[in-house]
Amino acid sequence: MSPPICETIYYIAGWILNTMNKLSERRAAGFSQILTYVFNTCRISGDLAKNNNLPTGKTDRVIAFGGLPYPSVQYYEFILRIEDVFARSLTYEHLVVYGQSLVDEIRITILNFPSTERLITEFVPPNTSTKLISKLLEYLLAIYARIRGKDFAMKLLNKRNSLKVPVRQKLAVLSSKESYTDEKNHLIR
């Protein structure tokens, strides 16, 4: 992966941690504690992130505005694994096959990987119930899937719109009387 992509994924990993921490206040007590624990376990200092050669560039620029946490190496690698599945699966060809449920199909596939639940257990307190671990995983993947789904939709729209004249330009041409009448003010059909 290119450095800008790595920086973006690292930034997203921090953004997800921050989101989980903020939303923990509005969740049930047990789940709220898990979210707070994950936030505190998966964040590190900026110096430690730089010492571990993590791609902190984008996060560094945002820190000046109130910023995001620096994710740990292990959490970043976990998010990279999720990103790898999305990057390989979010293609136009798969969209044709799966239709509008493509992002959800990817999310469900990741949830059903036997190793996914095992990987996330390193971020939760010992003796956490499998029900809470599954809930955490579903929550994290829902956030990530929403981000990647929006990104994929924007890429498709940009690719498609580059071939067409924007609606505003079409309306401007249609609203100009000269564009659809001849010299004698007769309607051209």
Side-chain angles (χ1 to χ4, degrees):
M1 269 188 251
S2 68
I5 290 174
C6 290
E7 284 184 13
T8 300
I9 294 169
Y10 188 77
Y11 169 85
I12 289 170
W15 185 86
I16 291 171
L17 279 177
N18 209 34
T19 300
M20 288 192 305
N21 188 49
K22 285 181 181 177
L23 293 177
S24 68
E25 299 165 6
R26 295 183 268 172
R27 301 292 177 222
F31 190 57
S32 175
Q33 291 169 345
I34 298 288
L35 292 174
T36 303
Y37 185 90
V38 170
F39 176 76
N40 291 326
T41 303
C42 294
R43 67 182 172 143
I44 58 175
S45 70
D47 291 336
L48 187 56
K50 288 174 182 62
N51 289 343
N52 287 324
N53 295 320
L54 290 167
T56 61
K58 193 169 189 169
T59 305
D60 289 337
R61 291 187 292 275
V62 174
I63 284 284
F65 302 102
L68 297 172
Y70 289 94
S72 67
V73 174
Q74 297 83 1
Y75 178 75
Y76 173 62
E77 288 173 350
F78 176 73
I79 296 296
L80 276 176
R81 287 178 182 217
I82 294 171
E83 171 57 26
D84 184 55
V85 176
F86 273 96
R88 291 173 191 255
S89 304
L90 278 178
T91 64
Y92 184 73
E93 291 78 17
H94 285 139
L95 182 63
V96 170
V97 173
Y98 293 102
Q100 65 187 18
S101 67
L102 174 61
V103 174
D104 201 43
E105 291 288 334
I106 297 168
R107 183 186 64 79
I108 291 168
T109 300
I110 295 171
L111 276 172
N112 293 327
F113 282 162
S115 62
T116 308
E117 197 169 294
R118 181 181 44 80
L119 289 170
I120 203 164
T121 56
E122 79 178 90
F123 309 125
V124 297
N127 303 322
T128 302
S129 72
T130 55
K131 183 178 177 184
L132 282 176
I133 291 172
S134 295
K135 188 174 181 178
L136 172 65
L137 192 53
E138 287 176 21
Y139 185 71
L140 187 142
L141 286 173
I143 294 170
Y144 199 84
R146 201 172 309 125
I147 292 168
R148 288 299 277 128
K150 286 179 182 179
D151 180 61
F152 183 63
M154 291 303 295
K155 285 179 183 175
L156 285 177
L157 288 173
N158 286 339
K159 199 178 274 188
R160 185 172 166 243
N161 284 342
S162 66
L163 304 175
K164 291 186 173 186
V165 177
V167 173
R168 189 172 274 191
Q169 287 179 358
K170 284 182 187 175
L171 292 175
V173 169
L174 291 176
S175 66
S176 170
K177 189 176 179 181
E178 293 79 35
S179 66
Y180 57 88
T181 57
D182 62 11
E183 306 84 39
K184 297 180 184 171
N185 237 5
H186 294 103
L187 187 62
I188 299 173
R189 294 182 191 222

